[in-house]
Amino acid sequence: MKREILLLGNEELYQISEPVKPDEIETLKSVVQDLHDTLMDFREKYHAGRAIAAPQIGVKKRLLYMFIDKPVVFINPVLEFPDNEMMEVLDDCMSFPNLLVKVMRHKRCRIKYLDMEWKEQVMSLEGDLSELLQHEFDHLDGILATMRAIDNKSLIIKK
């Protein structure tokens, strides 16, 4: 079911999400479906959107959903950075669809997570996918891209 995406300024977006427990995996299936449906609806409206975090639809769990070539569910993800190389990017967000924010992100990251079978997985990412997962991971800790803006001139309205 398509859910409402919480928008910039909603206090719920600034809360830290709780870890998913093993006995919650069955109830997560409907949340994952809602994340998928919400992401696809956003894509249809805005022609953008590759991933979404559960807190963006009001679910305070450490859960991310990415759909690029195929769906990937990240349960209780942990980010690691293999080096300190950074890149400047214009970050966008489904919680503020007409705003771009200039931020610095790690060029490479490694994400450890559990899949829907509760099996440990690891994925190494670089460039735009590294930025994407860092952005989504921030949502789990109540951090928005606006809070990472390089300076007070780093906000841009999309036309």
Side-chain angles (χ1 to χ4, degrees):
M1 172 178 77
K2 177 185 110 28
R3 303 268 293 267
E4 180 182 334
I5 297 171
L6 302 182
L7 296 177
L8 182 65
N10 187 312
E11 285 300 315
E12 287 186 55
L13 286 172
Y14 306 103
Q15 297 172 8
I16 296 173
S17 297
E18 296 290 322
V20 175
K21 297 177 182 96
D23 63 342
E24 295 174 314
I25 199 77
E26 275 306 309
T27 58
L28 275 190
K29 289 180 180 175
S30 66
V31 174
V32 169
Q33 186 62 53
D34 290 352
L35 289 168
H36 174 82
D37 294 346
T38 304
L39 178 63
M40 294 304 120
D41 180 70
F42 186 89
R43 277 187 187 178
E44 191 175 307
K45 285 181 187 167
Y46 294 96
H47 308 289
R50 300 174 293 164
I52 187 170
Q56 290 180 275
I57 61 168
V59 177
K60 301 297 176 282
K61 288 293 180 180
R62 298 189 78 77
L63 174 68
L64 306 175
Y65 179 82
M66 179 174 74
F67 193 105
I68 296 176
D69 299 327
K70 61 182 173 147
V72 181
V73 177
F74 302 87
I75 300 170
N76 298 336
V78 176
L79 272 184
E80 297 174 344
F81 303 104
D83 58 50
N84 292 322
E85 188 175 356
M86 304 293 283
M87 61 184 180
E88 183 180 294
V89 296
L90 284 175
D91 209 343
D92 60 352
C93 182
M94 295 186 340
S95 291
F96 39 90
N98 295 312
L99 182 67
L100 296 171
V101 183
K102 195 182 305 178
V103 300
M104 296 299 292
R105 296 281 188 193
H106 286 269
K107 189 167 186 176
R108 284 172 280 286
C109 73
R110 198 164 86 141
I111 187 165
K112 295 179 180 181
Y113 63 98
L114 298 167
D115 63 18
M116 289 298 286
E117 281 75 49
W118 208 254
K119 292 184 178 145
E120 290 184 16
Q121 303 290 334
V122 177
M123 188 182 292
S124 292
L125 303 162
E126 189 167 335
D128 66 325
L129 291 180
S130 174
E131 180 275 323
L132 175 66
L133 266 292
Q134 290 170 71
H135 172 101
E136 299 305 337
F137 184 86
D138 273 353
H139 278 295
L140 303 180
D141 291 326
I143 299 169
L144 301 180
T146 53
M147 299 158 76
R148 293 202 183 273
I150 291 174
D151 58 27
N152 62 4
K153 296 176 186 158
S154 295
L155 304 175
I156 302 161
I157 299 292
K158 286 190 216 174
K159 292 184 178 181

